[in-house]
Amino acid sequence: MRLGRRVRTLGATVAAAAVLASCTPDTTWVYADDSAAWPGMYGDSRNNSYADRDAASSLVPAWTRDLVGPNTVQPAISNRGVLSVTARTDAGCTTFSLELTVGRKTYCRRDAAGADLQAPVVDQFEYTYLGVPGWLYSFNPDNQVRWRYPTAGTPLWIKLAGDNTVLAVTHLGQMVLVDTHDGTAAGAAIGLLPQVSANDNGGGIEDCATNGPGCPVSGPPAVDTTAERAYVVVGANGAPSKVMAVDYGKTGSRHDLRYAWERKDLPDGAVGSPSLSADRSTLYVNLRGKKLAALDAKTGETKWTHDLGYQSAVPPSVSPDGIIVPAAPGLQRGSFIALQDEGKSAREVFKRTDVAMISPATQIRGGIGYAVVRSWAGVQSQLIEFRTDTGTTLRTFDLPDSVKSASGVSIGPDGELVTVGNDGTVYAFTSGRRTGDSVVKE
């Protein structure tokens, strides 16, 4: 059968298109995401202090290192085992890059005010993101500047937001979305308050450590990278803080940042930073009235509240099966508890009164949790591994009595543990034994 010219031409066009499509490269693999071992403050973009990793079968003290200044934020850890941590120092470096195996410093630098209030966020390529007054920076693994992006205020609160973007909120209330590759705007910035000025980008930053009035946004957002929605606690002018949801989905080729909902009627207001459930349906928020609230992430409606008996500004640790470990306020007789989210209410899973939690908790696979605790007598500090269903201690790792509080427990790529004491001393526990300047795996 003889084909007409038109049919032959159409067939050739379809074949050429198929070949072209098969040869079109998939560039999404170079998109930055939050799949690093511990991407930053409170873990990944959901802010829920959970790592999808197994517990290490053996852990031993590997090294300690003094940053020569107090620390308030747990470090980030890359998939290659590089630690990024900050400290408030009188002189010298404030931001450090350390090898997880031995604690060797790969580089350090002195950043402007505010660097010590955040942890550098790290992506899967070991690029880091950090804010200083008026600028959001990105650095490569060799500490070279990749790009910087101007902001109104100090972009302390940074999360990787999917689609090759990084979302940052300044302490004064500006939200920006930036392309992680070239540092250009991925969408128009918005203000979470009526007026956000760039006249004094570092003004009030000292209030961020205490949730004071000069710092309207005093904690990182929780980000749903699938629905492209960010949740943040915002307060201003002494009024009770509200919870805001901001969508950043695409309109055409650019993202469009727009308000989704807000809750300003929460009893006594919200405080600190929110946490998002694994399925991204529930937002957990601390209230100034010493309660934990669960909100519907889609609508903002309250699902339940639970009386903690203490106020915390740190988001709780939340596992995929709904186990919630609120952050206790240290040596203030606040109980070490865990809750189970049952949809319309929360059920207490365990309560421990033998120790005080002096760091936020971290959860991993297998119903395992970690926290730094201290005896009520105030004479013994330990990093403990515990069962999240019973609270039972599985392993303990002694810390010096000088550790009165710690910024949290970060998880390494092979289940290593890192915590930093309030005095700025880093403590690392790895699966091996120290031999000279190396760690030999067992």
Side-chain angles (χ1 to χ4, degrees), residues 88 128 141 145 214 311 418:
R88 174 171 290 186
T128 56
V145 175
Q311 185 186 112
V418 178

Side-chain angles (χ1 to χ4, degrees), residues 23-393:
C23 294
T24 301
D26 178 10
T27 59
T28 58
W29 70 272
V30 300
Y31 285 9
D33 62 38
D34 60 0
S35 63
W38 193 261
M41 192 175 184
Y42 309 133
D44 67 16
S45 296
R46 288 169 295 189
N47 228 36
N48 61 8
S49 295
Y50 178 86
D52 189 23
R53 297 183 183 272
D54 295 319
S57 58
S58 66
L59 288 168
V60 297
W63 53 268
T64 65
R65 188 180 186 106
D66 187 0
L67 302 178
V68 199
N71 164 272
T72 59
V73 183
Q74 64 190 134
I77 305 177
S78 75
N79 284 328
R80 200 168 58 90
V82 175
L83 195 74
S84 297
V85 63
T86 59
R88 174 171 290 186
T89 60
D90 293 330
C93 295
T94 57
T95 303
F96 304 82
S97 177
L98 309 174
E99 294 179 6
L100 178 56
T101 52
V102 295
R104 182 186 291 114
K105 181 173 64 180
T106 56
Y107 68 79
C108 74
R109 65 175 182 267
R110 186 164 187 83
D111 289 312
D116 59 294
L117 296 170
Q118 60 191 299
V121 170
V122 62
D123 65 22
Q124 78 273 34
F125 302 117
E126 220 167 279
Y127 296 140
T128 56
Y129 307 84
L130 185 117
V132 298
W135 297 98
L136 172 64
Y137 275 87
S138 178
F139 299 87
N140 71 14
D142 295 321
N143 195 32
Q144 297 171 319
V145 175
R146 299 175 62 220
W147 51 258
R148 67 176 186 169
Y149 185 85
T151 61
T154 305
L156 298 176
W157 319 123
I158 305 167
K159 292 290 181 179
L160 291 161
D163 195 31
N164 205 38
T165 63
V166 58
L167 184 144
V169 183
T170 72
H171 78 295
L172 297 181
Q174 185 191 51
M175 180 181 289
V176 299
L177 193 70
V178 182
D179 187 296
T180 61
H181 177 65
D182 58 14
T184 58
I190 64 170
L192 304 177
L193 296 167
Q195 293 181 340
V196 181
S197 173
N199 291 335
D200 186 5
N201 288 319
I205 199 170
E206 63 278 356
D207 279 1
C208 293
T210 59
N211 295 286
C215 184
V217 182
S218 57
V223 178
D224 181 348
T225 58
T226 301
E228 295 184 309
R229 175 175 287 186
Y231 307 87
V232 63
V233 174
V234 182
N237 301 323
S241 299
K242 60 185 178 181
V243 182
M244 298 184 68
V246 177
D247 288 333
Y248 60 92
K250 270 188 172 179
T251 301
S253 60
R254 284 174 60 84
H255 291 265
D256 181 22
L257 279 70
R258 57 196 181 278
Y259 305 112
W261 55 259
E262 68 175 40
R263 284 293 306 274
K264 54 185 177 182
D265 60 339
L266 294 168
D268 300 316
V271 62
S273 188
S275 179
L276 195 60
S277 64
D279 64 4
R280 302 172 175 85
S281 66
T282 305
L283 188 73
Y284 302 98
V285 183
N286 289 301
L287 304 182
R288 291 189 181 274
K290 301 181 179 181
K291 295 181 179 181
L292 178 70
L295 309 181
D296 186 304
K298 184 176 181 179
T299 64
E301 295 180 0
T302 300
K303 292 185 173 183
W304 53 257
T305 61
H306 185 87
D307 189 1
L308 297 176
Y310 57 81
Q311 185 186 112
S312 176
V314 177
S317 172
V318 185
S319 71
D321 58 358
I323 293 290
I324 305 165
V325 185
L331 293 171
Q332 300 178 29
R333 292 288 169 182
S335 299
F336 177 8
I337 66 170
L339 307 173
Q340 174 70 59
D341 188 339
E342 296 189 329
K344 296 182 178 180
S345 63
R347 172 177 56 86
E348 190 173 279
V349 176
F350 72 77
K351 176 186 286 187
R352 289 186 59 171
T353 58
D354 57 321
V355 293
M357 182 190 292
I358 58 172
S359 83
T362 291
Q363 296 185 69
I364 62 171
R365 292 176 189 156
I368 301 296
Y370 297 98
V372 179
V373 300
R374 190 168 174 85
S375 67
W376 285 118
V379 295
Q380 178 63 60
S381 297
Q382 294 178 319
L383 193 166
I384 66 168
E385 178 184 87
F386 62 93
R387 287 178 56 115
T388 58
D389 58 347
T390 64
T392 304
T393 297

